[in-house]
Amino acid sequence: MEDEKIVSLYWQRDESAIRETEEKYDRYLTKIAYNILNNHEDSRESVNDTYLAAWNSMPPHRPSVLSTYLAKITRRISIDIFRGRNRQKRQGSEYALSLSELGDCVSGGNTTEEIVNVKLLADAIGIYLRTLPEDARTLFIGRYYFLDSLKEAAAYCGMTESKAKSLLHRTRLGLKEYLIKEGFDL
Amino acid sequence: MTVEQLHDALGMLPSDLIAETDGRRSQGAKPVIQWRRWVSMAACILLILGCTVVFTQKIAPGMGGATESAADCAPQEPAVLMEESCAEAPAAPADNALTDNAPADAYPEMDEALLCDFFQTPGDAEKAPEFTLIRSREELESYWESYGEFFDFARMRTACEPYDKAWFESQDMLLIPVLPYSADTVWEITAFTALNENGWEWAVAYAFHSPSGAEEVSFHLLTGVAKGLIAPEDDVLTVADTVNSTVDGEPFNE
């Protein structure tokens, strides 16, 4: 079923909207959740919570690209679940790996004293990413938003893992320089 | 700022950027290509393709010195592999686009066995990967399908009939599109050396004739390499400056 029709079902408060969403996007959302949580049970919980969040948010939202809208929800829920875990359960996920990689970009300062406007930061990152060649941008978003493994991201970007690793490193450094130039306190 | 805050910010990226990446993800794995920047003849950066010591020994005497040094630089193991593969390789198909089209006196005398196959493929050479490793007849067909909107492959399809399933059992094919040159340019393979533990440096020399009024057209070069010699997932194919090319009969070096 087309996204537009599924969204209409949500707006009509027709419960078949969830069934249609699950049929079309369950595997897609589970992959995103698993990249973060590395655990089937927790991934299932995250995806189910996504369906509930979708039901509660449409209306008023009417996304034009349902996959992107749902992916954002799943990503946020999964990261929240991850952060609630103990240290042992955090190991092994692509999200955990990405945290160490993105450490290139920030200082990890004392957040109790720093106030970071996350929305402004997101806007700045978006502007920076738009300056990049498409391959570099796709690789960065694939690795750090969708949290695909380096191997997977390199594959759909059509490059070797070593090239992808090198490109991501340069992109992270470029992002850091850009954020400093834009006045962010890293 | 912490990395967690950075991740939270990533979660708020514009939807169009997310959708763009998601579109690429849904297309699945793409062939790994090594894009390099082509430099025109005037800028003097040429492709260097490798051949075996057996091939280089047959090259015209004037060009022997540099190719010998290139072969000498190659680690023994890959040179041995290439010798074996070249010894077993079938002769290039007799139907050669070059001889079909060129003026009778346009080319220096050269042993035909040295020539890699090359075909006129009118189109935009920059639209195709710099190198493509073809491992089966199916992959060759797929290459034509993928880039058919940028090149006229009609001549190449006909001439490549001998490169069938049996040919690919013992060899892989290296396919290289080249920028438009005069249609009376002659291409040959001079050397093939190992760049490092996971890469190959290719060298190709050419005999170029000053613009003779012939129409410029893109070409595809192909050569066979020992089956499995190049690992497309790991090996890096690089461009290096070539030597031993000639322009209007005179040696040409950068």
Side-chain angles (χ1 to χ4, degrees), chain A residues 6-20:
Chain A
I6 297 177
V7 172
S8 295
L9 290 175
Y10 280 102
W11 275 69
Q12 293 161 19
R13 309 315 285 163
D14 186 337
E15 290 182 4
S16 65
I18 297 178
R19 189 173 60 250
E20 294 295 336

Side-chain angles (χ1 to χ4, degrees), chain A:
Chain A
M1 184 180 284
E2 291 171 5
D3 283 356
E4 193 178 337
K5 289 182 181 173
I6 297 177
V7 172
S8 295
L9 290 175
Y10 280 102
W11 275 69
Q12 293 161 19
R13 309 315 285 163
D14 186 337
E15 290 182 4
S16 65
I18 297 178
R19 189 173 60 250
E20 294 295 336
T21 303
E22 184 178 10
E23 191 175 312
K24 189 170 182 180
Y25 291 117
D26 192 74
R27 193 173 171 184
Y28 168 80
L29 297 174
T30 302
K31 172 80 165 66
I32 294 172
Y34 193 83
N35 279 349
I36 297 169
L37 297 166
N38 197 40
N39 176 282
H40 290 293
E41 277 182 22
D42 290 348
S43 301
R44 190 70 253 154
E45 177 189 340
S46 171
V47 173
N48 288 339
D49 286 349
T50 299
Y51 298 143
L52 179 61
W55 180 259
N56 290 335
S57 63
M58 291 185 280
H61 291 92
R62 189 184 279 275
S64 55
V65 183
L66 189 57
S67 59
T68 304
Y69 181 77
L70 294 171
K72 280 195 175 185
I73 298 174
T74 299
R75 188 181 185 276
R76 176 175 50 78
I77 292 173
S78 299
I79 289 175
D80 286 344
I81 294 174
F82 179 92
R83 289 173 179 170
R85 281 174 165 177
N86 60 36
R87 180 175 295 182
Q88 193 171 10
K89 281 193 81 176
R90 288 184 180 192
Q91 294 172 6
S93 82
E94 293 298 332
Y95 177 69
L97 281 173
S98 75
L99 288 176
S100 66
E101 290 173 22
L102 285 174
D104 287 349
C105 301
V106 299
S107 64
N110 185 352
T111 55
T112 59
E113 295 183 4
E114 295 174 38
I115 298 174
V116 177
N117 187 322
V118 177
K119 183 62 173 75
L120 280 181
L121 180 59
D123 289 345
I125 295 172
I127 291 170
Y128 169 73
L129 290 177
R130 288 185 200 281
T131 67
L132 300 177
E134 187 182 336
D135 273 356
R137 182 169 59 243
T138 299
L139 186 66
F140 187 90
I141 295 175
R143 181 78 187 103
Y144 299 123
Y145 178 89
F146 287 101
L147 297 163
D148 292 325
S149 68
L150 181 66
K151 184 175 180 179
E152 286 173 315
Y156 59 70
C157 289
M159 59 183 76
T160 60
E161 277 187 58
S162 59
K163 182 179 176 183
K165 192 172 180 180
S166 166
L167 185 55
L168 280 171
H169 178 68
R170 289 199 303 273
T171 305
R172 291 195 302 269
L173 293 181
L175 175 61
K176 182 176 183 177
E177 283 176 24
Y178 179 80
L179 293 178
I180 290 172
K181 193 181 78 171
E182 292 298 305
F184 287 92
D185 184 4
L186 301 183

Side-chain angles (χ1 to χ4, degrees), chain B residues 62-205:
Chain B
M63 304 174 77
T67 56
E68 284 173 7
S69 67
D72 287 341
C73 290
Q76 183 61 33
E77 188 176 316
V80 169
L81 282 173
M82 281 304 296
E83 283 178 23
E84 290 174 353
S85 68
C86 289
E88 295 166 5
D95 183 17
N96 188 315
L98 179 64
T99 54
D100 285 345
N101 292 313
D105 60 346
Y107 312 103
E109 286 188 11
M110 199 173 292
D111 186 339
E112 281 191 3
L114 297 175
L115 297 173
C116 56
D117 264 0
F118 50 99
F119 313 94
Q120 288 185 33
T121 52
D124 187 354
E126 292 192 333
K127 290 283 197 269
E130 191 176 28
F131 301 98
T132 303
L133 187 70
I134 306 287
R135 290 163 290 183
S136 67
R137 178 71 193 191
E138 288 77 19
E139 286 189 14
L140 181 59
E141 304 271 359
S142 177
Y143 180 90
W144 288 329
E145 286 295 323
S146 299
Y147 298 104
E149 66 176 299
F150 304 117
F151 295 96
D152 180 359
F153 284 124
R155 181 183 297 277
M156 186 177 175
R157 281 178 181 269
T158 303
C160 280
E161 284 180 3
Y163 298 116
D164 55 15
K165 184 178 176 182
W167 188 89
F168 280 101
E169 283 177 356
S170 59
Q171 297 176 91
D172 292 327
M173 176 189 289
L174 191 66
L175 204 55
I176 304 163
V178 292
L179 292 171
Y181 291 108
S182 169
D184 56 2
T185 298
V186 175
W187 299 87
E188 62 181 10
I189 298 168
T190 61
F192 170 52
T193 58
L195 178 65
N196 51 45
E197 61 189 4
N198 61 348
W200 303 100
E201 183 175 86
W202 299 87
V204 67

